[in-house]
Amino acid sequence: MSTIDAAFLDELRARTPIAPLIGRRVKLSRSGRNWKGCCPFHGEKTPSFYVYDDHYHCFGCGVHGDVITFVMETEGKSFPDAVESLAAEAGLEVPKATPQARAQAVRARTLGDVLEAAQRLWSYALHQPEGRTGLDYLRKRGLTDETIAAFGLGWASDKRGALVSALREQNIMPEALAEAGLMSTDEEGRPKGELFWGRVTFPIRDRRGDLVSFGGRILGDRQPKYLNGPETALFSKRRLLFGLDRARAAIRAPRPKGAPPVDAVVVEGYMDVIALHQAGFPGAVAPLGTALTPEQLETLWQVAPSPILCFDGDTAGRRAAIKAAETALPLLSTERGLRFCMLPEGEDPDSLSRTKGRVAVAQLFAGARPLADVLFDLLAEGTPQNPTPEQRATLRSRLVEAAGKIADKSLAGEYRSSLLDRFFQTYRGRKGGKPGKNGSAFTPPAGPVTPDAPLDGTAAKLTLLTGLILRYPRLIGSVADAWCQLDLPPGLAELRSAVLDGTASGTMFDDHPDEDTVFTRMMDMLGQQGLRPRAEALIRTACIKKPGKQVDDGLMESPPEVLWWHFYASANRAAFEADIARDTEAWTREGLDPAQWDRLKLRIEALASLRRLEDGSY
């Protein structure tokens, strides 16, 4: 028997996804929620080797095990050596097998016995006269006696000292109760008072189903309304999910032919979990009084590749959804996703299942949206319909930063492109101007604009604007927001996304390089994406010495910024004039910093040039 701490082994298994580990040696393919392949332990041509969320099993030869067993069997290592190897990969340090560690393991088993004794006492008391208040509360919440028994709900007497007295008769002393998380302690660590009294009790079990702590719900006016046990040798709030043992079993259980799979659904609290299980959603789990943690997400992904996170539809619920998304982003991979479900305002899963029924809840979960679809909405929360340039720039930075948190580079690129596409679609053409057929300020040509195609009117101006930015990448710092307002045709839009992606991190401008160096870096970046030939062709079209009557003779030798704003003004006239009027008023009223004033002067100069061109006075 191993002397390595059981809690450490659980964490090691949770930190080591089994399918990728086995996939190093076995070619695996998807089989529903699981994976299958040809068994590495006996010769076979038809796959009978299945990999589940935390173990493997071969239906041909009967071999069975977890990540540790697999390393032992395939690499010929002993149990300690296999643990050491996996721990090194996971960035964990194996606890030493000291006499203290062995004593702690014995103590943990003893603490489990203490908790089980309290559980027997409390579940019995719920059905006695003293627990009538708690039982009435649970029945009023719609729970059946079968559900109450299945979850082991109980009642902690409102008589102070009742638990201590009852368990003392079983030779369980207050010191053991305190160590098990059933009593509070004073500053010197001595037992002080019972934690759970006058409360409905909810047993908290680990993924194996072992009792590790309790939660309690007060029925009077005392606070807090809900109480979880403290951290102990058995219980870590950030690593466990309420109901996980039952959800894990339900998700892994064989389903009748044609029956839909069981979804893992994360909700807010005990009662939500229990109500959903009773309503026929046995994959429900809940954090234990904390926001969803990375450790809990890792545990969830061991059970299901794309769990549903369910949040209230109010402001607090949206904040919680944003926090969960930000926690999940660094952990995402092509095999690990999330879905989000926002509840109708004023409802929770418990109330919804009781008032609207199972079908309504099933429809809500069926409509859960992938994180990639909802991330923009979450991050754009609070951005007005007609944001200022500063607000748009802030949101764009948040979007790029969020995508950058994803460790998988290919997946991060897909998220970044998706988020910026939504950004362009949502906020371009919002400042006014004559709407085109698609409701924006411009109607794009039927196909992509290329230098070899005839260029006239707006199409030519959009090409010139993009080409100038490609040739002079530093323009991005002052014109990016205006560029994002333009409804570009597909070919130009793809270049815009690539340029904004490449400049968002700021590394292109590291070490304060000269213009030619920045240009070279830009072309290299575009070359990696196969866009360099298109970019070079656009530059040849845009950076011409004789723009003809498209530009004031006085601007022929002007800086790129002036030329850019000139063409932008001619392509987006009404919005451009409105911007200048607004910013001029702001400067008169509040003043501008030097950089803002310089940008305003450039735009005023471009507008003056355009007016001279129109009245023939140039």
Side-chain angles (χ1 to χ4, degrees):
M1 179 74 67
S2 167
T3 57
I4 300 176
D5 178 47
F8 172 81
L9 294 176
D10 281 346
E11 181 175 1
L12 178 61
R13 294 181 182 105
R15 290 271 199 99
T16 311
I18 191 169
L21 175 77
I22 294 178
R24 298 174 190 171
R25 292 178 174 268
V26 180
K27 185 177 180 180
L28 299 175
S29 59
R30 273 286 185 190
S31 177
R33 289 181 178 270
N34 306 310
W35 299 84
K36 67 178 180 181
C38 291
C39 180
F41 301 107
H42 80 285
E44 63 176 9
K45 295 184 178 179
T46 302
S48 61
F49 180 79
Y50 282 76
V51 180
Y52 301 94
D53 64 294
D54 60 354
H55 73 286
Y56 60 86
H57 181 81
C58 178
F59 291 92
C61 66
V63 66
H64 183 97
D66 60 12
V67 288
I68 301 173
T69 310
F70 187 80
V71 171
M72 292 170 64
E73 296 295 333
T74 58
E75 299 182 19
K77 293 183 176 180
S78 66
F79 182 86
D81 287 344
V83 170
E84 193 75 47
S85 173
L86 290 170
E89 285 193 40
L92 298 174
E93 184 176 350
V94 181
K96 303 299 182 184
T98 61
Q100 292 83 358
R102 288 190 288 272
Q104 185 176 2
V106 172
R107 186 166 70 253
R109 288 195 293 273
T110 302
L111 295 181
D113 293 338
V114 173
L115 293 171
E116 289 292 352
Q119 167 61 11
R120 289 191 295 271
L121 180 68
W122 287 339
S123 60
Y124 174 79
L126 181 67
H127 296 277
Q128 303 307 307
E130 64 173 313
R132 188 70 189 185
T133 302
L135 186 60
D136 287 346
Y137 165 77
L138 295 172
R139 287 175 173 168
K140 186 177 179 180
R141 293 289 298 264
L143 301 187
T144 65
D145 288 347
E146 291 78 10
T147 297
I148 291 170
F151 279 87
L153 307 185
W155 173 254
S157 173
D158 54 6
K159 296 179 181 177
R160 302 296 296 270
L163 178 67
V164 173
S165 298
L167 294 189
R168 192 186 295 273
E169 295 177 3
Q170 301 178 41
N171 203 32
I172 297 175
M173 298 296 106
E175 290 75 15
L177 294 178
E179 195 171 359
L182 298 175
M183 294 187 71
S184 60
T185 58
D186 60 22
E187 294 179 356
E188 297 180 3
R190 294 174 300 209
K192 185 171 66 172
E194 295 178 13
L195 284 175
F196 301 97
W197 56 278
R199 293 178 182 267
V200 173
T201 59
F202 300 83
I204 299 172
R205 300 184 180 276
D206 63 17
R207 59 187 293 149
R208 297 187 302 268
D210 293 336
L211 186 59
V212 294
S213 188
F214 288 92
R217 206 279 190 193
I218 196 69
L219 298 185
D221 296 329
R222 285 191 292 122
Q223 293 295 325
K225 181 190 294 185
Y226 284 97
L227 175 69
N228 288 312
E231 300 276 316
T232 68
L234 296 181
F235 180 50
S236 173
K237 293 178 185 178
R238 65 182 298 105
R239 300 183 186 282
L240 293 180
L241 290 158
F242 179 75
L244 180 65
D245 57 319
R246 300 175 64 84
R248 179 167 168 262
I251 291 169
R252 291 176 53 184
R255 305 288 293 168
K257 189 174 182 179
V262 174
D263 284 316
V265 182
V266 182
V267 290
E268 185 176 350
Y270 311 122
M271 289 302 297
D272 292 327
V273 170
I274 297 170
L276 286 176
H277 277 251
Q278 180 172 283
F281 301 95
V285 297
L288 294 158
T290 66
L292 203 60
T293 67
E295 292 86 351
Q296 289 166 339
L297 283 169
E298 295 279 2
T299 299
L300 273 173
W301 281 318
Q302 290 276 319
V303 176
S306 185
I308 297 172
L309 307 188
C310 188
F311 297 97
D312 293 347
D314 57 13
T315 301
R318 295 188 70 83
R319 282 199 301 266
I322 292 171
K323 184 172 180 59
E326 291 175 340
T327 299
L329 284 170
L331 308 174
L332 294 179
S333 73
T334 54
E335 302 299 332
R336 294 175 165 192
L338 287 177
R339 288 172 288 166
F340 282 68
C341 174
M342 304 305 293
L343 294 169
E345 194 159 356
E347 296 279 11
D348 57 41
D350 179 17
S351 66
L352 200 63
S353 64
R354 284 188 284 116
T355 59
K356 301 293 177 62
R358 186 184 189 284
V359 173
V361 178
Q363 290 174 342
L364 200 64
F365 291 160
R369 299 164 60 200
L371 173 58
D373 290 351
V374 303
L375 187 57
F376 178 87
D377 296 332
L378 293 173
L379 295 177
E381 178 81 9
T383 302
Q385 287 292 310
N386 294 290
T388 65
E390 292 79 11
Q391 289 168 329
R392 285 193 299 272
T394 297
L395 174 58
R396 184 158 53 82
S397 296
R398 288 188 69 193
L399 299 175
V400 172
E401 181 185 356
K405 291 180 179 178
I406 301 174
D408 185 314
K409 296 305 180 186
S410 62
L411 185 61
E414 291 297 326
Y415 264 76
R416 186 166 54 249
S417 296
S418 175
L419 290 170
L420 289 177
D421 284 347
R422 282 285 305 278
F423 177 82
F424 300 145
Q425 293 165 11
T426 303
Y427 293 110
R428 67 189 177 194
R430 282 282 176 86
K431 293 184 178 181
K434 185 177 180 180
K437 293 178 182 179
N438 63 352
S440 67
F442 306 105
T443 303
V449 176
T450 67
D452 299 325
L455 294 175
D456 60 346
T458 301
K461 293 166 187 172
L462 296 178
T463 301
L464 288 165
L465 288 168
T466 303
L468 282 167
I469 289 176
L470 290 171
R471 179 58 188 91
Y472 303 104
R474 289 191 188 277
L475 282 173
I476 288 290
S478 57
V479 306
D481 188 70
W483 195 28
C484 291
Q485 301 302 304
L486 300 175
D487 192 356
L488 299 181
L492 299 182
E494 185 177 8
L495 281 168
R496 176 174 59 187
S497 293
V499 170
L500 291 174
D501 283 359
T503 57
S505 66
T507 55
M508 192 170 294
F509 305 109
D510 282 351
D511 307 321
H512 307 289
D514 57 33
E515 189 70 62
D516 288 340
T517 301
V518 176
F519 173 72
T520 301
R521 291 176 180 176
M522 173 72 77
M523 288 298 105
D524 289 344
M525 182 272 294
L526 293 174
Q528 293 171 9
Q529 303 180 49
L531 297 174
R532 181 165 185 156
R534 188 190 307 175
E536 290 175 338
L538 273 175
I539 291 168
R540 286 194 297 271
T541 300
C543 298
I544 54 179
K545 291 186 178 180
K546 291 280 187 182
K549 293 301 181 182
Q550 298 180 77
V551 67
D552 181 347
D553 286 341
L555 291 175
M556 292 289 284
E557 304 300 327
S558 296
E561 292 91 340
V562 178
L563 285 174
W564 198 93
W565 283 115
H566 172 91
F567 289 116
Y568 179 80
S570 64
N572 200 27
R573 180 63 172 275
F576 187 66
E577 290 185 344
D579 275 352
I580 290 177
R582 184 197 62 203
D583 291 347
T584 302
E585 181 184 354
W587 169 68
T588 304
R589 185 177 62 253
E590 303 170 5
L592 296 173
D593 64 41
Q596 290 174 314
W597 170 238
D598 288 343
R599 287 195 291 270
L600 178 57
K601 283 195 299 183
L602 283 174
R603 288 182 288 157
I604 293 172
E605 185 178 348
L607 182 59
S609 164
L610 186 61
R611 288 172 176 167
R612 288 194 299 272
L613 185 67
E614 291 171 344
D615 63 20
S617 62
Y618 60 90

